[in-house]
Amino acid sequence: MGATGVVRATWSSEDDDLFSLISSRLTRSAVAVAVAALGTAAALIAPTGAAAAAQPAAAPAAPAPAAAWAAGTRAYLVITAPGDTSAVRAAVAGNGGSVFASYDAIGVIVAHSASATFAATLRQVAGVQQVGATRTSDVPADAYNPALPANPAQAATTLAETNRWDMTRIKADQAWAVTTGSAAVKVGVLDTGVDDQHQDLAPNFDAADSASCAYGKADTRTGAWRDVDTHGTHVAGTIAAAKNGKGVVGVAPGVKIASVRIAEPGTTLFFAENTVCGFMWAGDHGFKVTNNSYYTDPWQFNCPDNVDQAAIIEGVRRAEAYAEGKGSLQVAAAGNSNYDLANKTTDSASPNDSTPGTRTITNACVDIPTELPGVVTVAAMGNGNVKASYSNFGRNVIDVAAPGGDGADGVYSTLPGGKYGTKSGTSMASPHVTGVAALIASTNPTLTPADIRARLAADATDTPCPSDSRCTGTTANNAFFGDGQVDALKAVGGTIPPAGPYFENLTDVAVTDNATVESPITVTGVTGNAPAALKVGVDIKHTYRGDLVVSLVAPDGTVYLLEDFPDSDSADNVIKTYTVNASSEAANGTWKLRVRDIAAQDTGKIDAWNLTF
């Protein structure tokens, strides 16, 4: 894995700091490159960590004074019977610990202690079912007096919305004719936080239901939910960036998004207590769907024969079940290690909060939350019917697949500070599925999480295995794609209108600097004039598309401007379908796609284009 280059970007000392994170995050993250469309741009690695939530049906406790922290303090999940946990909470305090948060509805207590014998001692207490350390590192002092994330200055954009390859692949652009989603549907982004001030996210942002769950206890102060990285803001844009003419459009641009920040600042790690908090918050705040593009740190896989990891599995499982019981469907990324989740043998990435080592594991060990019961596990695809090179896979583990980007084709979405850029990973695939789930929920508010999960699978497009022995199964369900690539149009009950006569040109035409080139298509056998909704499909491979002006030339020489990209549009490629009113033109004859490059430095080619009458 690696990061692709940044085109036409200026650099700062902050960018150098960001690059220093790359080598330490490759084992747990996707290839992720953020190319800011406005201002400074930097290559980043997309995190994959844990979640956070609030205490159910109770006001969150205020952060303890900083003096309560001591070096050597570790965090534990203490598991007991759901209901009244007062006796076990008293036992925590009586055996060298303190209660940091308590989720009585599921019988999970987040405890802190600096005693090396705390867990072993507490396991002997009546009513205590399990105790597990959630870290191999100390709880940060910030947990007791959390600093608010920065509220970045916002840059306005001149970028206009275009049909992106990832949206057209899942037919989201066609699904919008049926529904853009209901504002009554709330989607929780459990991630590194979300920039709620972003011009493409602010119209749909739900501050009242947003919080930070970093460290395992809800912090509802204004702005606690903001991004401590860029990952969560990017995910949020894919789900529900507003259809407002600016920048990008999310899969479900009419729904509401709430941020539950479960990543901790500095490390951007997602520990189990944060995940528990996040799922409890989701259940108590009526989230119809949550997106979980992470795994619970510090263990890539949690194994039930380890006392600490067994408690982590049970605590997070209970919290997820609580959220689902309240009507919330969890969607999660499968992971970015090109690993067969159905045939686990080793784990070399854990624990990632101290010193990772290599250990032997079995299929009993699970990647959480993605392998928990009821969670929709999402694999990533590149631009085509192909598995993304980095995506985890596994027969009867992967539920569905969605565009996650690969190589030059990344997923373009929102970045903090009003910016936009590309990232690739299962972290980017999962929010596409989350958006489709939100559209399904918008069409029928009575659907349960199980109903939505079934609809996602039933309406997915069957995707056959490539010539790869690792992909076992059938076209209808296999190790790489599960039940197939999600289909937003089918999921909302829409249909593709019947196509008319179709013509295409697959011959490459080079697009050089400061030049105009054309690619012809000769149309024959079509009666009368072209339609008022002539479809022009365009596939241009070109770095920095702000250099391009794209037009359709009719047989009589009339020029129809398809798009004059803003000079500041640093995104790569033009892969979209335009609609042209060509009803005054005779259909038969030679039509041309004209591409004009107006600057130096970046070149490309017309890869293919087509006409549908």
Side-chain angles (χ1 to χ4, degrees):
M1 292 187 289
T4 59
V6 175
V7 181
R8 298 193 180 186
T10 57
W11 291 94
S12 69
S13 60
E14 180 182 356
D15 297 323
D16 293 332
D17 293 339
L18 290 168
F19 263 115
S20 71
L21 296 174
I22 292 175
S23 61
S24 66
R25 303 309 293 275
L26 283 173
T27 57
R28 64 188 295 268
S29 64
V31 178
V33 182
V35 183
L38 296 166
T40 302
L44 301 175
I45 294 299
T48 57
Q55 300 194 27
W69 180 85
T73 298
R74 296 293 172 90
Y76 301 85
L77 292 186
V78 180
I79 312 296
T80 186
D84 184 1
T85 66
S86 57
V88 175
R89 282 187 272 124
V92 168
N95 286 279
S98 61
V99 174
F100 187 76
S102 180
Y103 301 96
D104 290 9
I106 60 170
V108 175
I109 297 164
V110 180
H112 288 178
S113 179
S115 169
T117 62
F118 172 76
T121 301
L122 203 64
R123 289 182 187 119
Q124 307 307 312
V125 171
V128 174
Q129 298 173 356
Q130 297 183 66
V131 180
T134 63
R135 308 164 184 248
T136 63
S137 58
D138 290 357
V139 175
D142 185 67
Y144 293 87
N145 189 21
L148 288 173
N151 184 10
Q154 299 295 314
T157 185
T158 59
L159 299 178
E161 296 167 349
T162 58
N163 288 339
R164 309 193 310 279
W165 72 269
D166 53 316
M167 295 297 167
T168 58
R169 284 208 62 81
I170 65 169
K171 303 187 184 74
D173 54 332
Q174 298 178 58
W176 298 330
V178 179
T179 180
T180 56
S182 167
V185 171
K186 287 186 288 188
V187 177
V189 180
L190 277 59
D191 214 293
T192 63
V194 173
D195 179 8
D196 56 302
Q197 306 295 310
H198 194 290
Q199 61 220 342
D200 241 347
L201 300 177
N204 291 336
F205 193 79
D206 177 8
D209 292 302
S210 295
S212 167
C213 269
Y215 312 115
K217 179 166 59 179
D219 180 353
T220 58
R221 293 176 296 165
T222 299
W225 57 72
R226 290 191 179 124
D227 210 332
V228 294
D229 189 74
T230 62
H231 190 264
T233 299
H234 193 278
V235 164
T238 298
I239 298 169
K243 203 171 190 299
N244 56 4
K246 300 176 182 178
V248 298
V249 187
V251 176
V255 305
K256 292 295 183 183
I257 46 174
S259 170
V260 183
R261 178 170 65 86
I262 56 175
E264 298 180 6
T267 62
T268 62
L269 295 181
F270 303 70
F271 292 100
E273 59 268 36
N274 309 357
T275 308
V276 168
C277 174
F279 286 151
M280 298 302 289
W281 182 274
D284 289 334
H285 288 259
F287 294 171
K288 196 67 177 177
V289 193
T290 70
N291 187 82
N292 303 270
S293 291
Y294 61 87
Y295 66 79
T296 50
D297 299 298
W299 306 101
Q300 183 175 22
F301 301 105
N302 285 271
C303 300
D305 60 355
N306 177 289
V307 290
D308 292 318
Q309 293 163 41
I312 290 172
I313 294 170
E314 180 62 12
V316 178
R317 184 199 66 78
R318 289 188 185 187
E320 190 284 325
Y322 178 87
E324 183 165 350
K326 294 281 189 175
S328 177
L329 174 67
Q330 277 57 251
V331 178
N336 308 311
S337 300
N338 194 23
Y339 193 100
D340 186 352
L341 296 174
N343 293 284
K344 303 185 183 84
T345 55
T346 59
D347 174 13
S348 301
S350 308
N352 62 8
D353 66 335
S354 54
T355 304
T358 299
R359 57 178 178 151
T360 299
I361 63 172
T362 68
N363 284 345
C365 303
V366 290
D367 181 337
I368 57 177
T370 197
E371 287 192 272
L372 290 176
V375 175
V376 177
T377 303
V378 181
M381 301 177 71
N383 187 2
N385 290 327
V386 294
K387 170 188 169 296
S389 59
Y390 51 80
S391 181
N392 287 355
F393 57 98
R395 183 81 170 101
N396 297 322
V397 178
I398 301 302
D399 291 308
V400 290
D406 204 4
D409 293 313
V411 173
Y412 192 66
S413 187
T414 47
L415 296 175
K419 300 177 183 179
Y420 300 84
T422 60
K423 292 181 185 288
S424 293
T426 56
S427 286
M428 286 60 253
S430 179
H432 287 88
V433 178
T434 297
V436 174
L439 290 178
I440 293 172
S442 297
T443 62
N444 187 346
T446 67
L447 294 177
T448 67
D451 293 334
I452 299 172
R453 189 165 55 243
R455 283 275 297 276
L456 286 169
D459 294 334
T461 301
D462 291 346
T463 307
C465 284
S467 298
D468 189 324
S469 61
R470 300 174 303 165
C471 187
T472 58
T474 65
T475 297
N477 187 289
N478 57 60
F480 278 11
F481 311 112
D483 283 304
Q485 181 173 247
V486 290
D487 186 321
L489 180 63
K490 192 174 180 182
V492 298
T495 58
I496 302 173
Y502 178 84
F503 303 85
E504 69 178 348
N505 186 336
L506 301 178
T507 302
D508 292 351
V509 177
V511 178
T512 56
D513 288 333
N514 293 299
T516 299
V517 299
E518 294 179 340
S519 175
I521 288 178
T522 299
V523 174
T524 59
V526 180
T527 303
N529 284 0
L534 176 66
K535 301 297 183 184
V536 185
V538 173
D539 185 348
I540 300 170
K541 301 297 193 298
H542 191 289
T543 53
Y544 205 92
R545 66 186 181 195
D547 290 356
L548 301 181
V549 180
V550 183
S551 303
L552 175 69
V553 183
D556 67 356
T558 302
V559 177
Y560 295 86
L561 177 66
L562 300 180
E563 190 156 4
D564 182 352
F565 288 91
D567 293 346
S568 60
D569 188 345
S570 61
D572 295 341
N573 306 330
V574 184
I575 304 173
K576 61 186 296 186
T577 300
Y578 299 90
T579 301
V580 175
N581 183 354
S583 57
S584 63
E585 306 290 341
N588 292 331
T590 299
W591 298 75
K592 298 175 184 177
L593 181 69
R594 177 179 293 171
V595 178
R596 183 160 61 98
D597 184 306
I598 62 171
Q601 299 184 31
D602 291 274
T603 60
K605 64 180 179 179
I606 300 174
D607 200 12
W609 74 287
N610 57 70
L611 293 170
T612 304
F613 286 81

